[in-house]
Amino acid sequence: MAALAAGPDHLFNLRNNFYLGAYQAAINSSDLPNLSPDEAVERDCLVFRSYIALGSYQLVINEIDSSAATPLQAVKLLALYLSGPDYKESAISNLKELLADPAIGNNPILRMVAGTVFMHEQDYNEALKYTHAGGNLELDALNVQIFIKMHRAEFAERKLKEMQKIDEDHTLTQLATAWQNLAVGGSKIQEAYLIFQDFSEKSQVTTLILNGKAVCCIHMGNFDEAETLLLEALNKASDAKDPETLANLVVCCLHLGKSPSRFLSQLRLAHPEHVLVKRAAAAEESFDRAVQSVA
């Protein structure tokens, strides 16, 4: 018997907005009719994840109660984890408790949150424990990110090829291709730039897209263009303290011979745990020790 044709994908635009960093647009377009119960849960997860991306952690923590479905409980733990260092331990502990439950431990959103949290912790092997089996393109894309952070481009390439076989034109496949091209470097940087350029022509221009183009420009030595793109990203009201924009501006200023202190100060105040802040602090401590040793 022929398989039934798949119905319309009610969440296509909402997902796409989220993947490309148009978080407010995702929230604003989330009032969708005729959703099945599963679609409604996925919609709510995307909306709450958009609020998390905009830094509204407490709103998510307050809005999701203990009777909510497993995927929403996972999203709440992601908000708790990101809300401050005091909550990380309890968030990870509760997350591991959910993952250990055989009835719900294989839920894709729960595994995605686990991968995201352990990637933040730089515990990449633990992250892969929950994401390597895949199951959807979002988990596959997260795998690509993890492998790139581990400097294992060959594994990232393998996972990317699997994504391309499933849907070469999917937004997540295109994003993962751009990330992999940036990781490989060389002539692939221009290909990554063209992917972000294509997104900027077809979609709402977001901080994510502008940063993607800017990082390509930095790799290609086009620091003036990179600075212009990053300042445009910084001027977007909801992303005025976006950590990647500020971090990329610090790098850009150093290459242009400009003082990065204003952007580094903003990064320190808004995101004290950011890797660039920690590296800068370690460099300052090393310099101070060196000065004291010759004083």
Side-chain angles (χ1 to χ4, degrees):
M1 193 169 82
L4 290 171
D9 185 352
H10 297 111
L11 300 176
F12 178 84
N13 289 331
L14 179 56
R15 274 194 220 99
N16 229 39
N17 278 329
F18 176 75
Y19 296 149
L20 290 172
Y23 303 118
Q24 195 59 55
I27 293 164
N28 294 346
S29 63
S30 62
D31 188 10
L32 300 165
N34 306 318
L35 296 183
S36 70
D38 284 348
E39 286 174 329
V41 169
E42 186 184 350
R43 183 267 315 274
D44 291 346
C45 285
L46 287 164
V47 168
F48 285 126
R49 288 170 68 195
S50 295
Y51 277 117
I52 289 172
L54 293 171
S56 300
Y57 309 126
Q58 202 56 50
L59 179 148
V60 176
I61 293 163
N62 293 345
E63 287 289 319
I64 300 175
D65 64 35
S66 56
S67 64
T70 299
L72 287 163
Q73 296 297 338
V75 171
K76 181 176 183 174
L77 288 176
L78 178 60
L80 189 67
Y81 171 82
L82 293 169
S83 64
D86 294 345
Y87 303 103
K88 283 187 175 184
E89 203 173 305
S90 64
I92 290 171
S93 172
N94 289 333
L95 187 60
K96 285 183 172 178
E97 205 173 296
L98 291 178
L99 289 160
D101 185 338
I104 58 173
N106 202 37
N107 180 274
I109 297 283
L110 178 60
R111 290 194 289 127
M112 185 276 304
V113 167
T116 303
V117 166
F118 290 115
M119 185 170 73
H120 272 276
E121 290 288 296
Q122 296 181 13
D123 189 346
Y124 301 125
N125 288 324
E126 188 70 12
L128 287 171
K129 189 193 295 184
Y130 305 109
T131 63
H132 79 280
N136 60 42
L137 283 173
E138 191 168 6
L139 280 165
D140 289 339
L142 185 55
N143 269 320
V144 172
Q145 281 186 299
I146 294 166
F147 286 133
I148 289 170
K149 285 183 179 291
M150 294 173 77
H151 305 290
R152 299 304 300 266
E154 71 280 16
F155 289 119
E157 183 69 35
R158 198 178 301 165
K159 184 57 70 174
L160 179 58
K161 282 180 178 170
E162 290 176 21
M163 294 178 72
Q164 288 167 340
K165 282 180 186 173
I166 296 166
D167 188 348
E168 191 169 8
D169 296 323
H170 194 284
T171 298
L172 285 173
T173 308
Q174 289 296 305
L175 282 171
T177 302
W179 302 331
Q180 174 66 354
N181 285 343
L182 277 167
V184 171
S187 62
K188 291 286 184 182
I189 301 294
Q190 182 64 28
E191 291 178 33
Y193 181 88
L194 291 173
I195 290 171
F196 289 117
Q197 180 63 27
D198 190 51
F199 280 136
S200 68
E201 289 170 2
K202 292 179 180 175
S203 316
Q204 177 185 334
V205 178
T206 64
T207 299
L208 183 149
I209 292 168
L210 289 166
N211 269 276
K213 288 174 73 175
V215 169
C216 293
C217 288
I218 289 170
H219 278 280
M220 292 187 289
N222 301 334
F223 302 111
D224 288 320
E225 185 183 348
E227 183 185 34
T228 302
L229 290 163
L230 292 167
L231 289 173
E232 185 185 342
L234 203 63
N235 286 334
K236 290 186 173 292
S238 62
D239 301 304
K241 294 176 183 175
D242 178 67
E244 297 318 307
T245 306
L246 292 168
N248 288 330
L249 272 165
V250 169
V251 173
C252 216
C253 285
L254 290 169
H255 280 286
L256 288 168
K258 297 180 179 181
S259 170
S261 60
R262 178 164 66 93
F263 302 121
L264 191 55
S265 295
Q266 282 180 271
L267 191 62
R268 277 197 184 106
L269 287 168
H271 306 280
E273 296 293 304
H274 194 278
V275 63
L276 194 65
V277 173
K278 290 182 175 178
R279 281 180 186 167
E284 284 168 11
E285 284 171 22
S286 297
F287 180 77
D288 289 343
R289 280 197 300 272
V291 169
Q292 285 165 10
S293 71
V294 296

